Amino acid sequence: MPITEKLYYKNAYQQEFDAQIIDSFEKNGWVYVGLSATLFYPGGGGQPKDRGWIQDQPVLDVYEQNGIIYHALKAFPDKEPVQGRIDFDWRWDAMQQHTGQHILSAAFLQIASLPTVSVHFGEETTAIELDASAIPESVIQDVESLANRIVGQNRKVEARWVSHEAVDQLPLRRKPPRMDRLRVVEIENFDMTPCGGTHVRTTGEVGWIKYTGSEKIRGRWRLHWKIGQRAVRDYQQKIELVKHLSNLLTCAEETLPLQVQRLKEQIKRTTRQMRQLQKDLLTLTLENIERQGMPLGEYRILATVVDWDREFTKALAEQLIQQPDLIVLLICASDERLYWFAGSGENVSVDIWPILSPCLPLIEGKGGGRDRFYQGGGRRTPALSDFLNQFVQRLKEELAHA
Ligand SMILES: [Zn+2]
């Protein structure tokens, strides 16, 4: 059985290729085409699978099995040799991330003797997982500086195949798997490690390497990095963000933290003042509204529509039923919706819920409650005043029987 020639190992920068079909089959509506040669990296070592096209059809999946690399398509290619093209923006990003990751892993080992446990090439960041209980900020800064220095020195990055016997002689960063032939990626006088991925030719092509944050996952530290074009794009976005913020706050960029601090303090002061004002208003309103309470046998009743907001009306109703002989029904109505709050003071011997609930259909209302306090919503119907009257009427009847 022939196997696929891995063209991405010959030249990681080639974008187009021709190949013969050496195997094919259909499964679940897709056609899988095994090619004599390909530029499509089938994924592995954390590096994502390549994207691209075969005869202008998008390649839906790529994987390797028994030395053959299969490409999933919607339809069988209509001619041979087939022509393939990889999405080079995607690949170029993967190459920058991968070489950048090798530089960072070597830098962590050199500066803090911290080996990389695993790597995650995400679409937002490249993450490096380290087995350490704590990583000081200064170590991360030193690693970032060294990594960017290695980039600036534009060192050669080379991959080569090494025989099983020769492997033991090499100063590899991590232990290689047992294989007849091992692929080794070397960054000139800096790092040497077994790797099956695609890399840039020189460290200068990696571009900027920037740490963005860390998180602790299952007892390990996962450190996130923006590498290459991603770091540049991120910096552009950050500049836009800072500009936007300084426009919003009409201040110079460097005074942003001070301005935000001042704003926070101002909000704190204003909120404190507002709470005090609300309290004062509540007291005043209570005094005013208590005078409106109508006598009803040995109790007083206050049933009315108010035009305060919901929270304020609720607070008011809760305060009002502190009066032991008062029965309260407050309705706040805004546009279509209305909210009602009802309750009774501790001396009131009847439960008002069985009196109130039969009236609720008049306002298409619902609600409930406990401990002498009930609340709910409804609609501002033309029968709103009937609702109030009916409640008072039923209450009178109930009290007359009691
Ligand atoms: Zn690698």
Side-chain angles (χ1 to χ4, degrees):
M1 193 75 168
I3 60 167
T4 306
E5 187 187 1
K6 295 170 174 174
L7 299 173
Y8 48 83
Y9 281 158
K10 282 189 153 172
N11 178 1
Y13 291 79
Q14 196 181 323
Q15 302 183 25
E16 293 177 340
F17 67 99
D18 289 346
Q20 302 291 331
I21 295 170
I22 55 172
D23 189 23
S24 68
F25 60 90
E26 274 185 67
K27 198 180 164 189
N28 300 331
W30 285 1
V31 179
Y32 290 82
V33 182
L35 297 178
S36 59
T38 190
L39 282 173
F40 281 84
Y41 182 68
Q47 189 181 325
K49 299 171 183 216
D50 270 331
R51 296 174 175 181
W53 302 266
I54 284 175
Q55 311 286 76
D56 292 327
Q57 278 195 67
V59 172
L60 308 165
D61 190 19
V62 200
Y63 70 92
E64 181 175 358
Q65 194 169 31
N66 301 328
I68 300 178
I69 296 179
Y70 291 92
H71 308 68
L73 301 170
K74 278 261 166 66
F76 207 78
D78 51 11
K79 60 176 190 276
E80 237 180 310
V82 298
Q83 289 169 329
R85 179 162 55 93
I86 57 163
D87 177 344
F88 196 69
D89 288 341
W90 176 264
R91 161 69 79 75
W92 168 248
D93 175 63
M95 283 157 59
Q96 283 191 316
Q97 304 311 311
H98 204 150
T99 308
Q101 176 261 311
H102 280 211
I103 295 173
L104 283 169
S105 291
F108 269 110
L109 208 55
Q110 208 176 91
I111 283 177
S113 305
L114 282 171
T116 297
V117 183
S118 68
V119 292
H120 304 268
F121 294 94
E123 292 208 22
E124 288 297 320
T125 61
T126 289
I128 289 181
E129 221 170 270
L130 303 170
D131 201 354
S133 54
I135 301 163
E137 280 293 314
S138 62
V139 165
I140 297 174
Q141 275 172 20
D142 289 349
V143 165
E144 187 178 292
S145 299
L146 174 59
N148 282 295
R149 212 158 51 238
I150 297 297
V151 168
Q153 288 163 351
N154 205 22
R155 299 184 186 214
K156 268 200 208 95
V157 182
E158 280 173 326
R160 58 194 153 94
W161 292 93
V162 184
S163 70
H164 174 63
E165 294 75 29
V167 163
D168 294 339
Q169 313 302 317
L170 295 175
L172 295 180
R173 169 156 54 79
R174 61 189 174 89
K175 214 169 138 18
R178 279 271 154 225
M179 286 168 109
D180 292 345
R181 274 166 85 237
L182 188 75
R183 188 166 178 269
V184 168
V185 172
E186 182 176 5
I187 298 171
E188 188 185 357
N189 296 326
F190 183 64
D191 183 45
M192 193 186 284
T193 195
C195 178
T198 56
H199 288 268
V200 294
R201 279 174 294 222
T202 58
T203 56
E205 291 179 59
V206 171
W208 195 17
I209 297 180
K210 187 73 196 85
Y211 170 68
T212 62
S214 61
E215 56 187 328
K216 204 162 191 184
I217 293 178
R218 291 181 295 274
R220 292 168 173 172
W221 279 105
R222 191 177 279 189
L223 278 62
H224 293 274
W225 303 82
K226 293 270 187 194
I227 297 172
Q229 282 303 304
R230 295 180 180 194
V232 176
R233 270 200 303 275
D234 190 56
Y235 188 41
Q236 288 164 342
Q237 283 166 5
K238 294 284 189 296
I239 285 182
E240 286 306 311
L241 183 70
V242 170
K243 257 194 218 160
H244 187 59
L245 283 175
S246 69
N247 278 340
L248 274 176
L249 296 172
T250 33
C251 68
E253 288 174 9
E254 53 283 6
T255 65
L256 270 173
L258 183 71
Q259 288 293 337
V260 172
Q261 189 58 36
R262 277 188 191 153
L263 266 181
K264 279 178 77 177
E265 279 160 16
Q266 199 180 324
I267 290 169
K268 224 164 140 186
R269 269 199 311 276
T270 314
T271 311
R272 217 168 28 229
Q273 283 169 355
M274 201 182 69
R275 292 227 177 90
Q276 187 54 48
L277 283 171
Q278 270 181 339
K279 254 190 193 158
D280 295 348
L281 182 62
L282 192 64
T283 314
L284 278 172
T285 316
L286 274 170
E287 286 168 6
N288 194 24
I289 214 165
E290 270 167 23
R291 281 199 290 274
Q292 295 172 26
M294 284 191 334
L296 189 72
E298 51 187 310
Y299 310 124
R300 285 179 303 140
I301 178 165
L302 180 70
T304 186
V305 179
V306 296
D307 58 2
W308 303 306
D309 75 32
R310 192 172 155 184
E311 286 309 306
F312 188 70
T313 310
K314 185 182 178 189
L316 195 62
E318 280 169 338
Q319 283 297 312
L320 281 166
I321 60 165
Q322 301 305 314
Q323 305 281 317
D325 66 333
L326 197 62
I327 298 165
V328 175
L329 172 60
L330 293 184
I331 301 165
C332 67
S334 62
D335 310 323
E336 277 283 278
R337 298 277 313 149
L338 62 76
Y339 300 96
W340 57 264
F341 303 93
S344 52
E346 58 178 353
N347 288 354
V348 178
S349 61
V350 295
D351 184 1
I352 63 165
W353 179 243
I355 301 165
L356 177 67
S357 61
C359 310
L360 287 172
L362 285 169
I363 53 163
E364 296 170 22
K366 273 189 206 149
R370 62 194 172 94
D371 297 335
R372 327 178 71 87
F373 190 76
Y374 304 93
Q375 57 184 309
R379 255 173 28 84
R380 185 174 206 147
T381 64
L384 179 56
S385 55
D386 294 343
F387 169 66
L388 280 170
N389 292 337
Q390 203 182 94
F391 172 66
V392 175
Q393 197 53 44
R394 285 177 56 90
L395 198 56
K396 274 182 186 163
E397 285 163 17
E398 184 68 28
L399 289 171
H401 289 131

